[in-house]
Amino acid sequence: MWLSRSLNRLALLQLFLLQLLWLSPAAAKKDKPEISSHQLDNRPTNFFYFDDSNTILLLDREAGLVQRSEDAGKSWDKVDIEDGKAWDLWRHPHDNQKAYIMGRHSTHWHTNDQGKTWHDFEIPDARPSLSRAPLAFHAKDSDKILIHGAVCRIGGLIDCKEVTFYTKDGFEKVGKLRENTRGCVFAHATPEFRTGDDDKNDDRVICVTTGRISFDPREHRLAVSDNFFENEEEPNLEGDRTVQGIVNIAVVKGYIVAAAKAPNTDELAMYVTDDASTWHRAVFPSDSRVKEDAYTVLESTSYSIEVDVMTVDPPNSMGVLFTSNSNGTYFTKNIEHTNRNAHGIADFEKVQNIQGILLVNVVDNWEDVAASFGREEKRLKSRISFDDGRTFQDLTTDGKSLHLHSVSEMNNVGRVFSSPAPGLVMGVGNTGKDLKAYEEGDLYVSIDAGLTWAKALEEAHKYEFGDQGSILVAINDEEPTDVIRYSLNYGKDWRKVDLPGGKIRPEALTTTPDSTSMKFFLWGVKGGGSRAEHWVFSIDFEDMHEDKCTEKDFQEWTARVDKDGKAICVMGRKQSYRRRKPEADCFIREKKFEEIEPDFEKCKCTKEDFECDYNFVRSKDRKECVRNGPLPDPKGLCKGNAKKYKASSGFRKIPGNGCEGGENLDEEIERDCEDTLKPIVSGQISTERTAFPGQSFRGYFYLERTESSSGSDKANKDETVVMRTDKSKVYMTRDHGKTWDEILKGKEIKDIYPHPHFNDVCYFITPSKEVHYTINRGDTFASFKAESEPTRDLQALAFHADYKDWLIWTGAVDCDKGGNCRNDAWYSTDRGSHWQDLRHVVGKCEFIKEEGRGERKKLVYCEQFKDEKLGGPLELQASDNWFADYTTPFKSIVDFATMSEFIIVATKDESDGDSLKVDASVDGQTFADALFPSNFKVPIQKAYTVLDSHTHAVFMHVTVGNQKDAEYGSIIKSNSNGTSYVLSLDKVNRNTPGYVDFEKMLGLEGVALVNVVANTEEAEKGSGKKLKTMITHNDGAEWSLIKAPQNDPEGKSYECKTDNIADCSLHLHGYTERRDPRDGFSSPSAVGLMMAVGNVGEYLTAKSKKTSDTFITRDGGVEWQAVKKGNYMWEYGDQGSIIVIVRDTVATDEVLYSLDEGREWISYKFSDKKVNVAILSTVPSDNSLNFLLWGREEDSDSEIVTFNLDFSQLKERSKQCNLDENDPEGDDSDYYLWEPKHPSQPNNCLFGHIAQYHRKKPASNCFNGRSIQHLHKIASNCECTRSDFECDYNYEPAKDGSCVLVGGQEPPDHSQVCKEDPDKMSYFLPTGYRRIPLSTCEGGNELEKYESKEVPCRGHEKDFEEAHRGLGGFWIFILGVVLPMCIASGVGYWVWQNWHGKFGSIRLGDAGSPFDADRPWIKYPVAAVAGIVAVLAAVPLLLGSLWRWGSGMFGGGRRYTTRGSFARGRGDYAVVDEDELLGEDEDEEV
């Protein structure tokens, strides 16, 4: 009895205790979420969740610290790293345990346990890159990481070099991967990517790198390595050719995408690989062009790439959405007029975890926006696709169209519309015709993946999904609030809960990336300005009373359905999910952080499950796959009499597609063996003659397609030329002169202006305000009205190097009866649609936009007459805000010019009004006087000719003798900032207009030719000039006569003894005698080759004499061969694999051509009549097998003719040459490696290194095709010799070649650098030598340091003593030589090193016609220079400048530059004024 009572009492006690436990706060279920808050000291810079956890890291960059929370933001602790050092925070995308804190300098930290513990690591001497993401990750091995850094010497003031490092063991060790990178990725950067069978190339790294010897972006390339760059290869991107101009690389799902840009276009070529080995060029529809900074690679799938391509520029930009096939090579258009913002972000998002559903915003009024160049406000509509973008439909709610704000205006972190919660989608927007402002929107929700929508809450809200969608959280985003709302039934009903601490303005609302957590993280701001407080909140639903869902609370939901609710197949499968029923009153509370997996049901195969196989493309109706070229060799199946074989049907099932049965489109079919054959070549040269009414041609211009331009096959082969006759009629050919069509009929065209930086663009100027233009190489034409008629004495249009729609128009205003006008200038940023005033009463106005001059994209220089009075002093004014305000660097100038990295200004000397002086700048802001060498005495400086600057030094010709017909001068060469000059060569010939016999060899470093006047005293007394030709092989440091060939073209010996070079050398007719300025000696695409007309003897004889022959050199000017008697014009084709020559000044009916670099010549008769050929031309790149002859037949006085000569059908040029970059001299190679040399060097060292170039074997019967990267590599650096140095300022060459101090002069004071830089520790006393900027020599006879003494700066003696022992040769060079140069100009060595120099030089033009007998141009290109007027001129360099000879060459009276010479790099000038000659290099910045 007692025991029974005791047990009953015990039971009652337990029941009582249990009831107490239930009623305690810790155990009671809650009816609302728990919210906690935490104040931050500063605005957070970055924060993120670790995947599959509630752990958050938050960066406070202002304080340099990182905080950590393990409970979704409820409590916070500072991580254990050095205070104040945190600069950036990165999460490992493939390992949820790892994160990285980047410091400002070389010390950084990593964690392997979600931030509990941290370990530091060092990147030696490097700081994190600011130009790209500092870390790149490996998807399979999280310990492998690439680190992008910048190694800056001398505290970052001089040289910052991009270097990539790597670790294979999670930063236990860090090694240097490669220098001079521009971004690197692992091939295995995503889980989806595979590097072929078994992923054997697991460590493959792909980098964008600088060129082999140049930092020019146009020479950036790809480099690939499987052993962290112990060895590297350059992959072939297009056929068997590597590609230069790589601008970016990215890994997208299972693809690697690289973009390349050719010079003179804003169009990009995209290259794609799905195995990191074999690359293909992506082909877009012919009416679509991928432009630089105008494409966005979007969220893609494992079987296609999504790309949005901009069609209308900012501010109101639009695009077109494209989707690729499974290997990324062919793109099809999905939807047009997609909305983009100014940063290239497109309104595109896929519904997460559901294949085939995507939302976009499109521009409804796209025609108005396009016509207004983006000025018209866009009206946006939202569209949705349920079949992977094949079709789109409106979003609807209650029968009304719904429009939602998307990715282009992010109002929260993370994805915009969806989460892994199946089928749940939310967005802020409105109903009606189009999308309204965000603040006018409401919150909408869809529970069927966007098929139908319902309004969830009034006003705009930030929102988030939790517990696999069973919890929706939102907070008002229009005004400060202290309330959050949440829904537990998919947005049908909403509850409120108060935030502690008062109202906040929400900045971000988020949760775990997989949306499985029941905890949310909110960041908001209280107050504003300096009193703003930053608070974070943890919102926790875990303790609410809702039960855990059971099986009865779930349903099977079909993910993709059509309008009728029927399931849709995507990639051969139907997709469904198990998800909670909307009305279920429960939480899922599944195991944390496990995403929901879909169920798939296979479908029968249809046409949608197949794509075109390799070498096939979709037909126009998109129903069939048709051949796109010959089929692959069937491997012996077509031998003998076989006529048929089994091969691809043209279709293949999309890789990864899961369909079964149904249609079988990829079944092999019978094909003809003939389908595998290559086109039959005729073996014959073809000729097409075209006659035009008129007396002369007045201008022709090649609009050459670049190698990154897109289009159809036909467009890919187009060779477009536009031409104007003396009848003011304009003709165009798309096939290099085989057929011509008159364009702009009925319009009087007085000038043709091709855009100097964009080959597709060309302007046609009329005498009125009307201007016509094309932006697509003549596919279409449009027009605009200028504010005035074009100027009568200047170039009417000026162009921007980067923004092709930015123009400056200079027009004639207030003209009197005599035709005298003033010039005013206007600017347009929309290709002439709208004009704004710039300046009045001006000379010329030009955009100043070059590399190294900062981001002052609006920088404009104008010459304006003082007080706007004609005839007054000409001021140079500069503005970077369209002259809202401006500066006046110079009060009285003669002219200015830009060339490469230099801006040169000629001003009148204030101390001597009859003389001139030169100022130079490398940044467009700070100018310095040009210090001429003390041994260079010119009493009155009257004329300068700026010759060249692409080797980081200005070559300038200063006129010494100015007597008419006896002009000559000295060539001086600057240091790297254009301010200090040394004498290079004196007595160099120039003519009366100011043009100089100076020409650089194109494509080869440091080779130039000049003609010098050997009898200056006699010439000034009236005797004719006696000219000698000299050559330099080391950029003007040393000059020598040219050794003559032993025999003439007929094999006979010359009359003089060729071993006596002083009296018997080779002399060549130079620039001052040239009929066509574009006919230079060399071509950048035919490395090592030069042709010229001249004679062998003591002096150069007149061209009309029988002593003139035509010569060729194949080794960069070291040895020459006489090839033909008489005077010939020449052109290089197919990068030098064919040379065509034709008689000059003699009527002829034949041309000669050579297929072996001029060793043998073959005659071809092109006409039945004799023709006076005035011009022989081809495409500017010299990479065509077509040529054009321009002239007049002997018996005609009313017609002019062109002849197209097509050599592409020659059997010797029917096969593509084979080039293996990794084995360039292999047995199957059609190339060999050629090493240029200095004639006085025992080895092949030139500029301190041995360079190896690809040259086609002369005996190989094949064509080059796509442009070759001629430079293969720098084989090695050499020891320094005398040829690597030139004389320093105030020093001159002695007879023995040494540099001696000029009598009476003092060595330059190098201690000045200490005053300029108080932190400078030491400097070197001058030795008389300075290194040629191009030289990379190491060790040996380093003359700039030879017997030099290093001296400490005042106040740094102790530092010098401590550091002196550790300084090596490199630092001696940097501290003693480079730093003074850089400080003198006010810019860092970074500008010097990273600016390769624009291809081209300052050019001055002419105003003659090659076809008008009374106007022999070049001889009399401009009116005589009179009085004290300066001549600032420039002569030929490399491809890349706008060469202003244009219609003036053909007698038109306008002066302009052709792009023909621009891209080709031929020598010509552009006249700016009748009395003033100055040109510019207007090369494109990339």
Side-chain angles (χ1 to χ4, degrees), residues 1074-1077 1406 1408-1410 1415-1420 1445 1449:
R1074 192 163 295 158
R1075 178 184 295 116
D1076 186 340
D1406 54 85
S1409 166
R1415 302 186 69 184
W1417 59 294
I1418 293 302
K1419 185 176 180 181
Y1420 304 110
W1445 63 282
M1449 160 189 154

Side-chain angles (χ1 to χ4, degrees), residues 161-176:
K161 176 168 53 180
E162 288 195 64
V163 181
T164 299
F165 301 85
Y166 73 97
T167 179
K168 296 189 291 184
D169 51 17
F171 291 107
E172 291 295 321
K173 296 179 181 178
V174 175
K176 182 185 291 186

Side-chain angles (χ1 to χ4, degrees), residues 214-219 261-264 292 756-757 800-802 848-853 898-903 947-953 1000 1002-1003 1391-1403 1435-1443 1462-1463 1465 1480-1486:
S214 168
F215 293 90
D216 189 336
R218 289 168 294 188
E219 298 186 23
K261 179 178 177 292
N264 303 103
E292 185 181 23
H757 310 292
H800 198 286
D802 296 329
I848 307 297
K849 179 66 173 66
E850 297 287 352
E851 186 83 12
R853 294 180 190 150
T898 61
M899 178 170 61
S900 297
E901 63 264 57
F902 301 102
I903 300 175
L947 303 171
D948 168 47
S949 75
H950 87 287
T951 52
H952 307 299
K1000 277 292 187 87
L1002 307 181
V1391 174
W1392 184 91
Q1393 185 192 51
N1394 284 275
W1395 183 245
H1396 172 265
K1398 297 301 187 180
F1399 288 162
S1401 59
I1402 306 174
R1403 302 270 189 264
V1435 291
L1437 179 60
L1438 297 177
L1439 57 123
S1441 70
L1442 175 62
W1443 295 19
F1462 161 80
E1480 74 206 284
D1481 169 38
E1482 297 188 9
D1483 189 295
E1484 171 181 57
E1485 177 188 346
V1486 179

Side-chain angles (χ1 to χ4, degrees), residues 289-310:
R289 299 181 178 186
V290 181
K291 298 178 182 179
E292 185 181 23
D293 298 327
Y295 75 99
T296 305
V297 180
L298 303 168
E299 179 186 11
S300 300
T301 68
S302 59
Y303 52 85
S304 66
I305 305 173
E306 310 281 355
V307 176
D308 189 81
V309 177
M310 185 171 69

